[in-house]
Amino acid sequence: MANVSWTRRMRRAGLVALVACSLAVTAGCGDKAEEKTDTGGQGGGTEQVSLGFSQVGSESSWRVANTKSVQDSAVSAGIALDFQDGKQQQENQITAIRGFVQKKVDVIAFSPIVESGWDAVLQEAKDAKIPVILTDRAIDTTDTSLYRTLLGSDFVAEGRKAGQWLVDRYRGRQDDIKIVQIEGTTGSAPANHRRVGFTEAIESYPHLKVIDSKDGEFTREGGERVMKTFLAKHKDIDVVYAHNDEEGLGAIDALEAAGKKPGEDVLIITVDASRGGLEALAAGKLNFVVECNPLLGPQLMDLVKKAAAGETLPTRVVTDETVFDQAKAKEVLPTRQY
Ligand code: AHR
């Protein structure tokens, strides 16, 4: 039903825009903010802003919470959302963005699965004068005019917080501490930046040694698979640094299957602070969790409305985040939303 009314609305909006465009051809039709028409949307005659959103997929509870936040906030903000699931494939996200350009949405937002390879499709959006907002993950481009803002976490800071906890935990120790790293999706901003931040924090402490690193794809299955490989390859692993909770939970599965006690025999640090992660922390199976907040929907909708109105946006909007030890996890769990 929602899709039908969306299509109708867009057809009508497209038609009115086309007529307006041909009437205004001598005046130079093309500015998205000026070209918007009354679609009869919410608010009794006010324009309903349309947003095309391309999501990465549903690899983690973080992602599921992020999707819900975007969808719920669009409804509350009265924004017509065209939501497309990229299913972990960059090609799917590129196709979705092209589709949004053809549908002439007011604003495009997306969470890029990997950092590189977006310039061509974003140039198409720019040529169509549709503002683009990056949410959650950054892209790697020299042309920053291809997007208006990036809303989301500082992943380098998250990596630094994870590394700093380790530095403090092993302060004064001289013997080698062997660390394995279960990375997020190869080429993604959180994987790249969380590795950089962590490396930065521990590099002045030569006894903290990262002995292996592998992609766990931000999933529990991936984390378990990678941890099994590490256990088969390395004796005496002291610490696991997993780039998200799911990978950390997978590492717990692998350690328990190998007869080891996660959180005691091997310390585990993760990022996200989802309910599953905090429960494992409260149970003593994880040791430290860095927060990455997925509830970006309300801020995103504010930015979308401003972009649609032609307002200037800040180039970066960073989410507020904290860290969790066992006591803090127990304290927040009863009210944790995701
Ligand atoms: O981009 C944010 C990361 O992606 C989250 O840490 C992870 O859980 C998700 O899959």
Side-chain angles (χ1 to χ4, degrees):
M1 250 349 240
N3 280 347
V4 173
S5 66
W6 163 258
T7 312
R8 279 205 203 108
R9 200 164 44 240
M10 287 319 294
R11 271 208 214 102
R12 191 174 58 209
L15 192 65
V16 178
L18 197 69
V19 172
C21 194
S22 47
L23 290 175
V25 79
T26 49
C29 181
D31 186 319
K32 219 36 207 158
E34 285 166 17
E35 152 189 316
K36 278 175 28 167
T37 53
D38 185 349
T39 61
Q42 296 183 359
T46 55
E47 294 159 358
Q48 186 177 29
V49 172
S50 58
L51 167 67
F53 184 91
S54 169
Q55 180 60 289
V56 168
S58 51
E59 72 282 2
S60 60
S61 42
W62 188 101
R63 188 66 53 198
V64 173
N66 178 249
T67 292
K68 186 171 178 329
S69 173
V70 170
Q71 291 175 330
D72 291 353
S73 307
V75 173
S76 313
I79 287 174
L81 173 68
D82 183 353
F83 181 91
Q84 300 287 332
D85 182 351
K87 299 188 172 143
Q88 304 297 324
Q89 300 296 326
Q90 184 174 31
E91 309 88 84
N92 293 342
Q93 290 199 292
I94 290 174
T95 303
I97 294 168
R98 289 222 163 94
F100 298 148
V101 171
Q102 276 161 12
K103 290 172 192 167
K104 298 181 170 36
V105 298
D106 295 314
V107 181
I108 293 172
F110 77 116
S111 176
I113 180 158
V114 289
E115 287 196 277
S116 58
W118 301 102
D119 283 32
V121 72
L122 293 189
Q123 186 61 50
E124 290 169 32
K126 187 178 172 188
D127 292 344
K129 297 194 163 33
I130 302 178
V132 171
I133 295 175
L134 303 178
T135 79
D136 162 34
R137 299 183 177 184
I139 61 170
D140 186 9
T141 180
T142 50
D143 185 357
T144 52
S145 74
L146 293 176
Y147 60 92
R148 299 282 300 280
T149 187
L150 163 60
L151 163 67
S153 311
D154 180 340
F155 297 134
V156 176
E158 290 172 353
R160 277 196 207 111
K161 289 176 195 167
Q164 188 55 49
W165 181 81
L166 207 59
V167 167
D168 295 339
R169 176 72 176 66
Y170 288 105
R171 201 176 286 284
R173 284 271 291 265
Q174 301 301 324
D175 51 323
D176 281 354
I177 304 300
K178 299 189 191 80
I179 305 157
V180 291
Q181 179 171 226
I182 308 180
E183 297 198 13
T185 308
T186 300
S188 69
N192 290 340
H193 301 178
R194 285 173 189 164
R195 182 183 52 244
V196 166
F198 184 77
T199 308
E200 252 179 54
I202 66 167
E203 68 193 351
S204 317
Y205 304 87
H207 66 299
L208 300 178
K209 290 195 182 337
V210 177
I211 56 167
D212 215 338
S213 251
K214 254 191 184 22
D215 180 359
E217 294 149 6
F218 282 130
T219 64
R220 186 167 186 153
E221 301 71 36
E224 184 179 4
R225 192 187 57 246
V226 168
M227 193 64 214
K228 279 186 175 156
T229 317
F230 288 156
L231 286 168
K233 220 167 129 191
H234 306 286
K235 274 192 167 175
D236 307 327
I237 295 167
D238 297 301
V239 177
V240 177
Y241 168 44
H243 283 190
N244 80 344
D245 287 345
E246 263 68 26
E247 293 176 336
L249 296 173
I252 291 175
D253 296 338
L255 285 162
E256 286 179 338
K260 291 186 188 289
K261 277 195 168 173
E264 287 181 35
D265 299 336
V266 178
L267 304 194
I268 308 177
I269 309 166
T270 67
V271 184
D272 273 359
S274 60
R275 173 166 288 281
L278 293 184
E279 278 168 358
L281 181 59
K285 295 185 178 191
L286 295 181
N287 303 83
F288 188 67
V289 178
V290 178
E291 186 178 42
C292 179
N293 186 355
L295 307 180
L296 303 177
Q299 279 173 296
L300 174 61
M301 297 312 147
D302 280 353
L303 292 167
V304 166
K305 284 186 176 174
K306 286 182 178 150
E311 289 179 34
T312 306
L313 306 184
T315 50
R316 181 77 169 99
V317 182
V318 183
T319 330
D320 267 353
E321 282 156 356
T322 184
V323 293
F324 291 91
D325 59 13
Q326 193 181 39
K328 201 162 161 190
K330 285 181 178 165
E331 194 185 307
V332 303
L333 261 172
T335 55
R336 196 69 175 165
Q337 285 182 49
Y338 56 93

